[in-house]
Amino acid sequence: MIQKKVLSSSDESSEDEHVEELMDKQKLVQAKANKPTRTSVSAEVYGQFNKKGQYQAKKVNKSQDAVKRIKQRMTQAFMFSALDEHELAIVIDAMEERKFKAGDFVIKQGDDGDVLYVVDQGQLDCFKVFKKGEPEKHLKVYQPGESFGELALLYNVPRAATIKAKTEAICFSLDRETFNHIVKDAAAKKREKYEEFLSKIELLKDMDPYERLQIADALKVQKFNKNDYIIRQGEQGNTFYFIQKGDCIATKTENGAENKVYSYNVGDYFGELALIKHEPRAANIVAQSEVVVVYLDSDSFRRLIGPVDEILKRNMSRYEKYVKK
């Protein structure tokens, strides 16, 4: 099994990594007993605790500046990455600006929750008490573009952690009803699409299922034709790729000649060298057929790939000898 590395306070596990504890609180075993077959993680998350009624779109008046800022932050928050333009417009209309002073509590562990938050400005500390009677533990600092509070909406459970403004902060809040009718469906479809694919990738097989679903939230798709260059040697690298369809080769250009040094197939990954070593791309990656890749940008890579970071470093030797300068 993969052992998680010790993380700094800026990227330690957030409240959503305690999903198993929350599911226990909801007596998941009893819920499963009422179902004849096991469903996927994402199906449980999005279907079990969030039954739909009739929905009427909510609209909160706000300035054009606020709308512009919400749009910017939503492009950074994984939770909204699967929404189309129409869905984005509905969510933006429903969001409400909330201002907090340093020291203000935004949410408290154990309270009921009916909104999630997207950070626009400032920093917010996340604390959690793991066992009754023990002091709370600082988990991380939320930065602009990050979201929190969705677990209470997904699972209909009390707040899993306490969020306190570290500085003056502005957040945008989204109500449960809009989340349930707009955001969760789009996110569920995306998660279900990639859940099985990610579970079959050797690198990720020992990850917790919920960790893989977080990766699914952040994935973006790109298609290439035969002989297209996905990566070019010498370029700055800021993306990490998984092959969903097709096959590729790595080539190294030296003295004007381009030579094959490695092959990639479905489920393989590439692009990590530049991100781990903070160096330009060491080789070309060329599509050998029609290729579909899913990828993480550098920020998502560093946030989400922590549990397999040591494996990535160890596996670099599989082809590093071919691409040494």
Side-chain angles (χ1 to χ4, degrees):
M1 295 291 288
I2 296 171
Q3 298 296 317
K4 292 188 180 181
K5 65 179 181 179
V6 177
L7 302 177
S8 66
S9 61
S10 64
D11 60 1
E12 287 187 47
S13 299
S14 60
E15 59 173 298
D16 53 10
E17 290 177 325
H18 305 291
V19 63
E20 291 184 1
E21 174 189 346
L22 297 176
M23 297 294 273
D24 287 342
K25 289 180 179 179
Q26 278 295 343
K27 301 187 183 298
L28 182 59
V29 172
Q30 180 180 351
K32 287 180 179 178
N34 296 326
K35 294 186 291 184
T37 58
R38 166 73 173 166
T39 59
S40 69
V41 173
S42 51
E44 287 183 5
V45 169
Y46 290 103
Q48 187 174 348
F49 304 121
N50 290 290
K51 303 301 183 183
K52 284 189 174 183
Q54 188 173 3
Y55 174 67
Q56 184 170 351
K58 175 182 177 181
K59 187 164 186 175
V60 177
N61 291 328
K62 56 183 71 70
S63 67
Q64 285 301 309
D65 175 68
V67 170
K68 182 178 179 180
R69 284 157 42 217
I70 292 172
K71 286 181 178 179
Q72 179 186 357
R73 296 310 179 195
M74 287 179 70
T75 63
Q76 298 171 286
F78 302 152
M79 184 61 62
F80 307 104
S81 62
L83 300 182
D84 60 29
E85 290 187 10
H86 176 66
E87 291 165 335
L88 280 171
I90 294 174
V91 171
I92 290 170
D93 281 346
M95 280 190 157
E96 186 172 354
E97 184 175 287
R98 304 280 186 91
K99 296 183 179 180
F100 302 96
K101 296 178 181 178
D104 284 352
F105 288 93
V106 182
I107 60 178
K108 291 184 178 182
Q109 183 175 346
D111 285 353
D112 291 334
D114 58 1
V115 297
L116 67 80
Y117 296 90
V118 178
V119 183
D120 179 46
Q121 297 177 27
Q123 297 178 324
L124 301 101
D125 285 313
C126 177
F127 301 94
K128 183 175 178 67
V129 176
F130 286 90
K131 291 184 179 179
K132 189 175 181 179
E134 292 186 355
E136 63 183 11
K137 179 180 179 181
H138 183 267
L139 298 182
K140 68 166 289 176
V141 178
Y142 280 99
Q143 306 284 352
E146 293 188 281
S147 60
F148 60 86
E150 76 277 7
L151 278 185
L153 277 60
L154 288 171
Y155 294 102
N156 197 29
V157 294
R159 295 296 194 187
T162 294
I163 308 295
K164 184 178 181 181
K166 183 175 184 178
T167 65
E168 287 191 357
I170 298 176
C171 298
F172 296 113
S173 65
L174 183 68
D175 64 284
R176 179 191 295 273
E177 189 176 13
T178 303
F179 176 84
N180 282 349
H181 284 79
I182 306 299
V183 181
K184 82 175 180 64
D185 277 356
K189 290 175 184 176
K190 183 177 182 182
R191 284 183 166 187
E192 289 168 358
K193 180 178 180 180
Y194 293 119
E195 183 178 2
E196 183 178 2
F197 169 70
L198 292 176
S199 69
K200 293 179 180 178
I201 294 176
E202 184 70 18
L203 175 70
L204 307 179
K205 70 176 185 179
D206 288 330
M207 263 189 161
D208 180 270
Y210 199 75
E211 290 175 320
R212 285 199 300 267
L213 289 179
Q214 288 180 294
I215 292 176
D217 286 343
L219 289 175
K220 298 179 181 179
V221 182
Q222 194 168 2
K223 298 180 180 180
F224 295 91
N225 295 318
K226 184 176 181 179
N227 297 324
D228 282 352
Y229 279 71
I230 301 172
I231 284 177
R232 286 191 179 272
Q233 182 179 335
E235 291 181 341
Q236 189 64 38
N238 56 14
T239 44
F240 174 60
Y241 298 89
F242 297 103
I243 300 178
Q244 188 177 13
K245 176 184 176 182
D247 54 280
C248 306
I249 60 170
T251 66
K252 179 81 172 175
T253 303
E254 293 180 312
N255 301 320
E258 186 174 348
N259 299 304
K260 175 182 173 181
V261 295
Y262 207 80
S263 298
Y264 299 91
N265 299 299
V266 172
D268 288 338
Y269 59 88
F270 56 86
E272 77 281 11
L273 281 179
L275 295 178
I276 292 174
K277 300 177 72 174
H278 305 286
E279 296 177 350
R281 298 296 194 187
N284 306 297
I285 303 295
V286 187
Q288 297 299 287
S289 62
E290 289 189 356
V291 170
V292 178
V293 296
V294 290
Y295 66 91
L296 296 172
D297 59 36
S298 57
D299 290 339
S300 303
F301 174 85
R302 293 186 176 93
R303 175 180 174 183
L304 299 172
I305 300 295
V308 295
D309 182 64
E310 291 305 316
I311 289 181
L312 283 172
K313 291 178 179 177
R314 186 167 69 242
N315 287 353
M316 287 195 303
S317 61
R318 65 182 180 163
Y319 47 68
E320 196 169 32
K321 63 182 178 181
Y322 297 115
V323 297
K324 286 181 179 178
K325 295 181 179 179

